[in-house]
Amino acid sequence: MISSRVAAPVAALALVTTPLALGALTPASAASSGLLISEVYGGARNAGAVFTHDYVELLNRGSEPVSLDGLSLQYRSATGTAAASFTQPLSGTIAPGSHYLVRAAAGTAGTTPLPEPDATTTLNLSGTTGTVWLARGISAQTLPTGSVTSREDVVDLVGFGTSNTFEGAVAPAPSGATSISRTGADTDANNADFAAGPGSPTRSGTTTPTPDPTPTEPPAPTLTPIAAIQGTGAASPLAGQTVTTEGVVTAVYPGRFNGFFLQTAGTGSTDTTPRASDALFVFGRNVDETTLAIGDSVRVTGAVSEFQGATQLTPAAATDVVATAAPLAAIAPLVAAYPTTPEAREAHEGELVAPTDDFAVTNVYTTNQYGEIGLATGGRPLVQPTDVARPGTPDYAAVVADNAARAVTLDDGSSINFLSNGSADQDIPLPWLTPTRSIRVGARATLAAPVILDFRNNTWKLQPTTQVSGDGSEVASFE
C-alpha cells in the first residue's frame, strides 16, 4: 500500500458477521483467487467527506459461491499491537464475481448514502490509517506488527496509511473524498494492490466482469520529456499536471530520501537541452524502491510539483512505475566545472555530474549531525566577508558573491539526524569519519565517482547515488 505524509486519529472499529467455507481460501501470504477485501472507506467523519457511512467491501473473484459463515471482519488501529479492537462476524454467501458491502458507522460530513448494504456494523474506521482483515473465526485475533504472511487464520488483510501491520508494504491513505480500492491482481503487497481514488461502494448482486484473457494493449501514453517538465525557470511550467515520462534510474535511496532520480536516456556527456535539466526526482511514497536499481529503464506517470524548490514527480501507485519495453540508452555523467550561478545550477538540477573543480573542505558544521561536508570550488575555503571588508562596501559584497558562487555541500545520501535525542539514528555509524581519520577545514576533497546535483533543504548539494556508509571512499577522499 501507499504510505501517507498525513496521519489522523483512529476511532474504535466494530464489525459482526459469521464464517466462510474454508476449503477454497488461502493464507494472507499467498495470492488469492477467491475472497478478498476490495475497498475500504473510513472518511465519513472527515472534512470533505463524500459518503454518509464508512464501509468495507468484499469481493469473490472465484468461480464458485463462497460462504461467509465462520468468518469475521476485524480491525485494529494503525499503532495497535494487541488483539483486534473490533470484530464483526459475517454470514451469507457471495456469488462468483459478486461484491459484499458492509456498512460501518455513520459520519457527520458526507452527503451521499451507500447502496443497501449486505451487513451493518458500528465499526468506526479511521479516515486515513489502520488495519482491516478478514479472519477465519469470530474471536478477536492478535496479529504481529510488520508484514503479515503465512497466516492460515487470515484470509485477506489491508494495512493503510501509516499502519504498523500490512501485507508486503502499507497501502495509501484514504481520505474524506477517497477510498482505497483494489487495482487488480492480489500480489499480497498492499502498496501495489490498492490505490486511493473516488469511492464506489457496491453491494451483492453486482458482479465484476471477468477480464478478457487476451486483452488488447491500451494505446501508449503520450510521453513528456523530462526537460519539458523541468522547464527553463526556477519552477516547473507543468506543476499540478499529471504526466508520463521515461528515463534511466541514476540514483536510488530506499528508506532514506523516499525516492529516486530519473534522467533522460542518452543524456549527460553533452547538454542537449540548454537551460533545462534532463533529470528530476521521483518521490517514492507509493513505490517500493527496493525493486529499483541504478541503470533501470522505467516509465513513470505522476503529478508534477515543486517541493522546497526542487521539481519532482509523484506516482499515485506502484503500477505507475514500470519497466520500458526495451532498455534505454545509458546515462553518462556531465563532465564540467561546477556551475557558479543559480540559473546554471537549475539547468542541471538532478543530473548526474562529474565536476572538474578542485574542491576544498570549507566547513564541517553538520558533519556529525547530518553527514554533510561543506565544500568550496577553487581549491580554497570560503572567507568570512567581514575578514576582508566592512559590511555594505563593494569589497564585502564581492566576497559574499564569491562565496555564493563557490559553495556546495557534499551529502551522504540520507536525511538521518545522527544527534536525534532518543532516536535509533544515534546507533548508526557516522559516514565519512573513521577512528583514525578526521576531516579538517582546508583539506583537499577529491570526488571518486559521479554524483547528483541536488537542491535539498534550500541548499545545492552533491548527492552520492546511494547512501554512504563507512568512510565513503567510493564517493570522495580528503587529504
Side-chain angles (χ1 to χ4, degrees):
M1 296 209 168
I2 302 167
S3 63
S4 173
R5 290 179 174 174
V6 181
V10 179
L13 266 185
L15 284 168
V16 181
T17 358
T18 339
L20 263 181
L22 307 184
L25 301 180
T26 57
S29 62
S32 170
S33 59
L35 189 61
L36 298 170
I37 296 171
S38 56
E39 189 173 356
V40 177
Y41 175 76
R45 288 162 304 284
N46 288 34
V50 173
F51 296 103
T52 57
H53 292 73
D54 296 343
Y55 64 87
V56 177
E57 180 189 282
L58 308 180
L59 170 65
N60 177 11
R61 300 203 326 169
S63 58
E64 300 293 333
V66 175
S67 170
L68 294 176
D69 295 337
L71 300 186
S72 62
L73 192 61
Q74 304 202 15
Y75 172 84
R76 189 168 74 182
S77 71
T79 58
T81 56
S85 58
F86 183 87
T87 301
Q88 175 70 43
L90 301 172
S91 63
T93 299
I94 307 180
S98 184
H99 297 267
Y100 185 96
L101 182 62
V102 180
R103 188 179 72 190
T108 57
T111 57
T112 303
L114 301 182
E116 185 66 25
D118 297 291
T120 60
T121 177
T122 58
L123 170 64
N124 284 323
L125 283 161
S126 165
T128 58
T129 183
T131 304
V132 177
W133 69 97
L134 189 59
R136 292 187 176 93
I138 60 174
S139 298
Q141 291 182 345
T142 299
L143 298 181
T145 58
S147 182
V148 174
T149 58
S150 302
R151 294 275 304 201
E152 293 290 344
D153 55 350
V154 176
V155 179
D156 195 25
L157 178 145
V158 181
F160 54 94
T162 57
S163 178
N164 62 13
T165 308
F166 42 80
E167 285 185 8
V170 72
S175 67
T178 61
S179 69
I180 53 169
S181 58
R182 192 170 290 276
T183 58
D186 177 26
T187 66
D188 287 323
N190 292 161
N191 64 321
D193 293 344
F194 283 82
S200 57
T202 308
R203 59 163 286 125
S204 62
T206 304
T207 60
T208 299
T210 302
D212 185 345
T214 56
T216 57
E217 286 292 325
T222 300
L223 297 180
T224 303
I226 292 175
I229 300 172
Q230 281 280 11
T232 57
S236 170
L238 303 182
Q241 299 183 33
T242 296
V243 301
T244 299
T245 193
E246 286 185 345
V248 178
V249 176
T250 56
V252 63
Y253 311 93
R256 292 307 176 193
F257 284 155
N258 201 5
F260 60 96
F261 282 93
L262 188 71
Q263 186 161 336
T264 302
T267 60
S269 56
T270 58
D271 187 2
T272 58
T273 56
R275 299 180 57 219
S277 173
D278 289 305
L280 49 65
F281 184 70
V282 179
F283 180 46
R285 174 180 64 188
N286 304 327
V287 179
D288 182 2
E289 302 155 88
T290 62
T291 64
L292 295 172
I294 294 172
D296 284 353
S297 299
V298 296
R299 174 177 293 177
V300 180
T301 299
V304 181
S305 65
E306 292 290 322
F307 182 70
Q308 295 183 349
T311 303
Q312 67 177 25
L313 203 59
T314 303
T319 52
D320 288 330
V321 179
V322 297
T324 57
L328 302 176
I331 303 300
L334 178 63
V335 179
Y338 177 71
T340 58
T341 67
E343 294 77 15
R345 293 165 191 162
E346 184 72 31
H348 299 290
E349 177 190 276
E351 290 184 359
L352 188 69
V353 298
T356 57
D357 305 75
D358 290 328
F359 288 105
V361 175
T362 193
N363 75 73
V364 290
Y365 296 141
T366 57
T367 302
N368 68 333
Q369 183 174 15
Y370 294 114
E372 299 174 331
I373 301 170
L375 302 182
T377 64
R380 66 188 191 282
L382 304 182
V383 178
Q384 284 288 351
T386 51
D387 287 347
V388 175
R390 289 180 177 276
T393 64
D395 288 344
Y396 177 93
V399 175
V400 171
D402 180 68
N403 286 349
R406 296 196 297 118
V408 65
T409 297
L410 178 63
D411 205 353
D412 67 338
S414 81
S415 56
I416 296 174
N417 183 345
F418 296 94
L419 298 182
S420 295
N421 290 332
S423 169
D425 290 346
Q426 288 186 331
D427 296 328
I428 300 174
L430 279 168
W432 310 119
L433 304 175
T434 71
T436 58
R437 188 193 72 183
S438 59
I439 298 175
R440 60 181 178 79
V441 172
R444 178 180 180 182
T446 303
L447 297 180
V451 289
I452 301 293
L453 180 56
D454 183 28
F455 188 74
R456 194 173 298 267
N457 307 122
N458 297 312
T459 303
W460 285 100
K461 299 184 178 184
L462 301 178
Q463 207 68 251
T465 55
T466 58
Q467 181 188 357
V468 172
S469 59
D471 65 5
S473 57
E474 72 281 4
V475 177
S477 61
F478 308 91
E479 56 186 23

